[in-house]
Amino acid sequence: MNKKNYTYSLILSALEDKSGVKRKEELQFDFENHDDIFDIVDRIKSKSVFEEEKTATEFVIGLKLFTEVLLKNRKHPLFEELGPQMAAFMKKLKSQ
């Protein structure tokens, strides 16, 4: 793994489906990110960008997973139109 990045492990456990049926599925994987995700979660929470702290955590984790894939695959045709919009979005988010 690249030493310029932070290394994380994510475990996602399914608890129940939308009908309330209990589930016991799990995804676990390790990944790298160029940012300190815990620091970003704390900053978003402290700025009260969202009413609930839980929402801030969900937002940051989803955003950081997505944007790291986007950065590593920026020349992929799937992301070709998204690049400029994502850059503008990130500038707006950082100005909050």
Side-chain angles (χ1 to χ4, degrees), residues 73-87:
N73 297 278
R74 69 183 85 199
K75 296 191 187 284
H76 192 287
L78 183 63
F79 299 127
E80 133 187 335
E81 295 173 359
L82 192 56
Q85 286 78 15
M86 185 55 75

Side-chain angles (χ1 to χ4, degrees), residues 39-85:
D39 179 58
I40 295 171
V41 168
D42 289 342
R43 283 190 278 152
I44 295 295
K45 284 179 180 179
S46 72
K47 292 179 180 184
S48 300
V49 175
F50 301 100
E51 288 183 27
E52 294 185 33
E53 284 191 357
K54 179 181 146 238
T55 303
T57 302
E58 293 170 344
F59 171 74
V60 171
I61 290 171
L63 181 66
K64 293 312 298 173
L65 286 170
F66 178 71
T67 55
E68 196 70 17
V69 169
L70 184 120
L71 286 171
K72 290 177 182 175
N73 297 278
R74 69 183 85 199
K75 296 191 187 284
H76 192 287
L78 183 63
F79 299 127
E80 133 187 335
E81 295 173 359
L82 192 56
Q85 286 78 15

Side-chain angles (χ1 to χ4, degrees), residues 1 12-13 25 36 38 52 54 64 71 89-90 93:
M1 293 199 170
L12 179 68
S13 302
E25 295 171 281
D36 181 343
F38 290 96
E52 294 185 33
K54 179 181 146 238
K64 293 312 298 173
L71 286 171
F89 173 78
M90 293 304 290
L93 176 63

